[in-house]
Amino acid sequence: MKNIVALAFIFSLLMPNLVYANRQLAMRNGCMSCHADTEMDAPPWRELAIKYKKYRGQAEAASVQGEKLRKGKLFKNIKAHQALSPANATELMQWIIDGAN
Ligand code: HEC
């Protein structure tokens, strides 16, 4: 019984971090200096989320799109895009595809 209470407590501490995990990943990778929730130079997250919504439910989409972002094929060279690890690019793309919340 004690263990269950302890587990529930630990879980309640972890939950907010789970929700914001990918937003934090975006912050750590410097995405926020150009992309934001409001209009700046780069397309805001909401706009990207709308654009990438079509990939929802497609298993390979996040890694394929993440790879494109990394390779700089989509646009001009943007260092923050190209510096992403494959795993981080996939995770961030999945975050965007899922609505960038
Ligand atoms: C130096 C500024 C800058 C930083 C930092 C940056 N981006 Fe971008 N990003 C841009 C610009 C500008 C565009 C739009 C390019 C265009 O439309 O030609 C873009 C486009 C994108 C797109 C594709 C939009 C589309 O039209 O399909 C995605 C996805 C994206 N960024 C994700 C990220 C992620 C994730 C990070 C963090 C690793 C990041 N960006 C960091 C400037 C930046």
Side-chain angles (χ1 to χ4, degrees):
M1 194 55 204
K2 236 189 199 162
N3 281 345
I4 291 173
V5 173
L7 269 179
F9 178 65
I10 289 166
F11 200 66
S12 74
L13 289 180
L14 286 175
M15 273 316 276
N17 291 335
L18 284 179
V19 171
Y20 291 112
N22 289 345
R23 187 164 276 272
Q24 282 168 356
L25 188 62
M27 281 182 199
R28 276 206 304 276
N29 284 282
C31 314
M32 298 306 184
S33 51
C34 298
H35 299 275
D37 294 322
T38 53
E39 199 66 63
M40 288 211 288
D41 285 348
W45 298 122
R46 199 162 9 95
E47 209 173 293
L48 294 181
I50 289 167
K51 180 170 179 182
Y52 282 88
K53 203 171 142 190
K54 61 182 176 210
Y55 295 112
R56 239 176 245 182
Q58 294 180 26
E60 299 295 319
S63 63
V64 170
Q65 297 307 315
E67 214 37 35
K68 275 196 199 159
L69 186 69
R70 255 165 38 78
K71 295 267 166 63
K73 272 186 193 147
L74 290 174
F75 339 88
K76 43 198 170 207
N77 297 343
I78 296 174
K79 233 193 242 143
H81 294 170
Q82 294 171 312
L84 284 171
S85 72
N88 282 351
T90 300
E91 200 169 321
L92 286 166
M93 272 301 177
Q94 193 60 60
W95 173 61
I96 292 170
I97 290 169
D98 288 339
N101 291 308

